[in-house]
Amino acid sequence: MDREIISGNRIILSPITREDTDMVLEWRNSERTVRNFYYRTPVTGEDHEKWLSEKVQTGEVWQYIVCLKEGSIPIGCVYVQHIDKKSLEGESGLFFSDNAPAGEGYGTEALTLFSEEVCFKKLGLLRLKAKIQATNEASKHVHEKAGYRLVRTVKGEKCSDGEIVTSVYYKKEVSVYDAGGLAHRKNVPAVKACTGKIAEDMGVLSVEVPGSKSITNRALLIAMLSMDVCKLDGILFSDDTESFLSCMDSLGIITEVDREKYSVKVYGCAGDIPNKSAHINVGSAGTAARFLTAVLGLCDGGEYHMDSSDQMKKRPMKPLLDSLIEMGCDVVYEGEEGFFPFVLRPHGFGKDEVTVDIDKSSQFLSALLIAAPLSQTDIKINVTGSHGLTYVDMTRKIMESFGAKVEEASVGESSSGNSKLTKSFIVSPTGYTASDYSVEPDASAACYFAAMSPIVNRTVILKNLHETSMQGDTGFVRILEDLGIIASEDTDAGIKVMPYKSDNTSKTSGETIIDMSTCSDQTITLAAIAPFLNRKIRITGISHIRLQESDRITAIVTELKRMGVDASEEGDEIVIESGVNSGAESDKTFIKTYHDHRMAMGFSLAGLYRDDIVIEDPLCCEKTFPNYFSYFGEMINIISG
């Protein structure tokens, strides 16, 4: 057994001794712990012995414990243990003796164990998570002091003793990722988990990315509304989809989740939501926010308190909520009008025609389309705006896989006299029939590796992703082709991306205009590599990305300037000059991500050109691609031999 003294406090590395475990078990079963800890029940010696023999001593769980002391007397402990070795996640918590004085003065030892030096370097973890009862002020205080951030609050959770409580979820992650250092083999950062999803054969790299977030959440919702049991395969498990699953649980929907096999079995409710009153927190998931709001807002009665993360509170909801109000739903705002949080008091489909504005998000239309088959009559949905129609096409295709019928109608004026319509749809009252469904690989995730191909000069196969995909982001491959930096072909294995062989070093005169409206999620990817493409690039069709996880237009230009790139905003367009005008101000250029997953992933590509690029808050990418930097590191490790 290894023991090490850190800052005068004991850290215990697994396997821990009988003396240690007896002491920990005593603290775990103290009245204070049982009252405040999430599980709320004592652990028997037999339970603990089984856990030790089957988990700790076999190495399946690695546990780290630091004693909390009053002077020299141990009064409790803080622990960290692995909960997912594949992604190197840790779970944390605190136990106190009944004899420990009340208060919040015992955090010093916890901060030692929670520190980046110990957890993210010595122990190699990527992230720590804590689930705490909202009334457990001491534990909340210590975790907040240790740099955790609150990611969601869940009201009405049932504990193991049957009591209903409010829980808060905290998360702490590795703070920076040295993308340039890894690319140039100077430093290998803490992010080192092997995904096993990248393979090399005769110099060709095959990349198997996770399932599509956009398809996963659409399929989950439609399966939930179906009339029987649906099995969904290829599911993405990320922050967004976990938020969606949590919301389904709050609504009383039964699911069987198999994360090892990337599958979920959903027991459909045939459109009759089991829980007629619920508190729903959608986190930062735009799909959950828009889709669930539409479905719940058109239910036949009930009351739903809708909340979200601070980030989602800044994103628009008003066009969708206005449409629901038009259909007869009562909406009570609990904050700023048009944004989370709010209360929905639905009254079913009060009309058979509604208009929605999608200039700020196509999800407003997709949400209404998904809800419409639950009506008793045909529903006509009139549309103003034209943003993101490739995602609407995706929605229709998934709906049709579950038996829905959506037809595009001729565009005229709506019954309200609106003459600015761009499209109209008629949705039949079919409901949804159960169907087993396979989720496509995420085209948005695959695009980062398509963009890597010309940078690292290797052929890359985007495994199981094809040109027939319903995802609009596959169009980014064609944009890279138009720029003359890759060639591609669709093969049985997937889309093959090959670096263009001709000399691309001479500077192109004039300005290359690229419309990103059909694959706007890749705007950041394009912007990050644009300075190295020997041409001036203007990116258009992206006004709506100001309203996503961050103001992406301003964020892109700000971070390019931080790199010494001549970049500017011209209205809602981005202009990027070729080259870097000045060197970095210091040895490293720290790229801010604004808690935006696409900023973290997109700008990592700049680290393949330059050795000074460091990504701040890299694990914000777990919103849609939890192991992105493991993939990134594994790919570079393979290339570097």
Side-chain angles (χ1 to χ4, degrees):
M1 179 188 67
D2 296 324
R3 287 181 183 273
E4 184 172 349
I5 303 299
I6 299 178
S7 301
N9 297 298
R10 185 178 61 172
I11 181 169
I12 303 171
L13 306 182
S14 81
I16 57 182
T17 67
R18 168 58 54 204
E19 175 189 355
D20 296 323
T21 56
D22 286 346
M23 182 170 58
V24 170
L25 184 59
E26 178 184 344
W27 291 331
R28 168 63 180 81
N29 288 336
S30 74
E31 182 182 350
R32 176 181 298 185
T33 295
V34 171
R35 183 175 65 249
N36 291 326
F37 197 55
Y38 176 71
Y39 298 105
R40 298 180 65 87
T41 51
V43 176
T44 67
E46 183 180 349
D47 292 336
H48 199 57
E49 182 67 39
K50 183 177 181 181
W51 181 80
L52 275 175
S53 62
E54 294 183 359
K55 301 292 185 181
V56 175
Q57 292 172 358
T58 62
E60 182 176 340
V61 171
W62 303 345
Q63 186 178 60
Y64 317 100
I65 298 173
V66 167
C67 291
L68 304 175
K69 299 175 183 177
E70 172 70 10
S72 61
I73 302 173
I75 53 142
C77 67
V78 56
Y79 72 90
V80 169
Q81 66 186 30
H82 277 198
I83 54 175
D84 184 349
K85 281 186 170 183
K86 186 175 180 181
S87 61
L88 293 180
E89 288 187 351
E91 171 191 88
S92 64
L94 292 91
F95 297 151
F96 287 101
S97 163
D98 277 340
N99 298 323
E104 302 172 355
Y106 303 100
T108 304
E109 297 89 346
L111 300 184
T112 300
L113 182 56
F114 290 159
S115 71
E116 183 163 330
E117 180 66 31
V118 176
C119 274
F120 299 132
K121 292 182 181 178
K122 182 178 292 294
L123 306 183
L125 298 175
L126 300 180
R127 60 183 70 79
L128 292 170
K129 295 182 177 181
K131 181 179 182 180
I132 301 165
Q133 283 191 26
T135 55
N136 192 345
E137 294 297 334
S139 188
K140 286 166 58 180
H141 173 78
V142 170
H143 282 89
E144 288 167 354
K145 188 176 179 181
Y148 283 70
R149 62 186 176 92
L150 181 67
V151 290
R152 63 187 173 118
T153 301
V154 179
K155 298 180 180 179
E157 283 203 322
K158 182 182 290 186
C159 291
S160 56
D161 66 350
E163 183 168 345
I164 303 299
V165 301
T166 297
S167 299
V168 289
Y169 288 76
Y170 286 92
K171 180 169 63 177
K172 182 180 181 181
E173 303 168 331
V174 61
S175 60
V176 297
Y177 182 85
D178 193 342
L182 180 62
H184 294 268
R185 308 301 297 158
K186 289 184 178 179
N187 300 294
V188 179
V191 183
K192 59 187 178 184
C194 180
T195 66
K197 297 295 185 180
I198 299 179
E200 183 181 29
D201 183 22
M202 302 294 290
V204 176
L205 295 167
S206 174
V207 182
E208 182 181 354
V209 298
S212 163
K213 180 263 294 185
S214 298
I215 297 177
T216 291
N217 280 356
R218 283 165 171 81
L220 282 171
L221 179 60
I222 293 171
M224 163 183 137
L225 300 174
S226 297
M227 290 183 279
D228 210 333
V229 181
C230 302
K231 186 172 184 291
L232 310 178
D233 291 313
I235 289 291
L236 169 71
F237 290 105
S238 68
D239 270 2
D240 275 14
T241 51
E242 295 289 1
S243 290
F244 213 114
L245 287 165
S246 177
C247 292
M248 291 168 65
D249 183 60
S250 297
L251 293 170
I253 303 299
I254 298 172
T255 60
E256 294 177 11
V257 178
D258 189 335
R259 288 175 174 79
E260 290 294 320
K261 295 183 179 178
Y262 305 100
S263 71
V264 176
K265 186 179 289 187
V266 181
Y267 291 79
C269 66
D272 183 14
I273 305 297
N275 294 343
K276 304 304 180 186
S277 176
H279 286 80
I280 303 296
N281 192 312
V282 300
S284 296
T287 46
R290 278 67 182 262
F291 297 170
L292 287 169
T293 293
V295 167
L296 297 177
L298 293 170
C299 286
D300 189 14
E303 180 171 290
Y304 299 98
H305 295 256
M306 309 295 292
D307 205 351
S308 72
S309 68
D310 289 342
Q311 187 185 65
M312 190 66 216
K313 285 182 171 72
K314 299 174 184 177
R315 298 177 66 181
M317 290 291 294
K318 192 172 190 302
L320 175 59
L321 293 168
D322 285 348
S323 296
L324 295 179
I325 292 168
E326 183 182 343
M327 294 289 279
C329 180
D330 295 328
V331 178
V332 180
Y333 292 108
E334 297 182 316
E336 184 179 351
E337 182 176 336
F339 297 89
F340 280 98
F342 48 82
V343 179
L344 300 173
R345 297 191 180 105
H347 302 284
F349 291 82
K351 296 175 61 178
D352 60 6
E353 184 175 356
V354 66
T355 300
V356 64
D357 181 353
I358 65 169
D359 268 339
K360 294 181 178 179
S361 176
S362 66
Q363 289 177 353
F364 302 146
L365 172 56
S366 287
L368 292 172
L369 287 171
I370 291 172
L374 305 178
S375 174
Q376 300 300 309
T377 62
D378 285 352
I379 298 294
K380 184 177 184 182
I381 303 174
N382 301 305
V383 184
T384 62
S386 58
H387 162 63
L389 290 174
T390 55
Y391 284 97
V392 175
D393 290 340
M394 174 197 297
T395 301
R396 291 179 62 185
K397 289 175 181 176
I398 300 172
M399 290 172 63
E400 288 163 359
S401 296
F402 288 82
K405 182 179 179 182
V406 182
E407 294 182 346
E408 193 165 343
S410 58
V411 179
E413 286 193 3
S414 69
S415 59
S416 60
N418 191 331
S419 61
K420 297 181 180 180
L421 303 184
T422 54
K423 281 186 177 292
S424 290
F425 297 92
I426 294 177
V427 185
S428 301
T430 56
Y432 292 106
T433 54
S435 174
D436 290 349
Y437 190 85
S438 294
V439 174
E440 292 182 0
D442 195 315
S444 300
C447 284
Y448 301 112
F449 300 96
M452 285 182 196
S453 169
I455 305 173
V456 300
N457 195 32
R458 299 288 284 273
T459 294
V460 176
I461 294 177
L462 309 177
K463 191 173 178 181
N464 300 322
L465 186 68
H466 298 280
E467 292 176 354
T468 55
S469 166
M470 67 179 80
Q471 300 171 73
D473 272 17
T474 54
F476 185 64
V477 174
R478 290 185 285 276
I479 288 173
L480 296 177
E481 283 187 305
D482 292 342
L483 286 168
I485 61 174
I486 67 161
S488 73
E489 63 175 300
D490 202 351
T491 70
D492 290 342
I495 297 174
K496 180 189 285 189
V497 178
M498 298 157 282
Y500 198 61
K501 298 299 183 183
S502 67
D503 182 8
N504 193 43
T505 58
S506 58
K507 188 164 184 175
T508 303
S509 61
E511 181 180 81
T512 301
I513 300 174
I514 301 177
D515 182 349
M516 294 293 291
S517 58
T518 60
C519 53
S520 60
D521 276 347
Q522 297 307 312
T523 302
I524 297 169
T525 314
L526 175 61
I529 66 175
F532 310 100
L533 298 182
N534 297 301
R535 69 189 73 198
K536 179 179 180 180
I537 288 179
R538 178 182 294 270
I539 305 176
T540 68
I542 55 172
S543 61
H544 64 282
I545 73 172
R546 289 193 185 277
L547 303 171
Q548 293 184 298
E549 283 80 351
S550 64
D551 177 347
R552 287 179 174 169
I553 292 177
T554 296
I556 287 168
V557 171
T558 300
E559 299 314 306
L560 287 174
K561 287 181 176 178
R562 196 184 309 279
M563 290 169 52
V565 175
D566 185 357
S568 61
E569 302 177 47
E570 294 189 5
D572 288 329
E573 299 178 350
I574 298 174
V575 179
I576 305 170
E577 298 285 351
S578 173
V580 179
N581 295 333
S582 61
E585 295 180 1
S586 62
D587 291 339
K588 295 293 181 182
T589 299
F590 288 84
I591 301 297
K592 296 185 182 300
T593 56
Y594 309 89
H595 300 303
D596 187 336
H597 55 134
R598 302 230 176 266
M599 287 293 292
M601 293 185 283
F603 271 90
S604 69
L605 300 184
L608 299 175
Y609 290 103
R610 291 173 43 165
D611 63 6
D612 66 322
I613 301 299
V614 178
I615 306 297
E616 294 187 353
D617 187 24
L619 293 181
C620 63
C621 64
E622 72 175 3
K623 175 179 170 64
T624 54
F625 195 165
N627 291 327
Y628 171 75
F629 282 101
S630 294
Y631 277 68
F632 185 96
E634 188 174 347
M635 187 169 191
I636 301 306
N637 286 338
I638 291 173
I639 292 169
S640 302

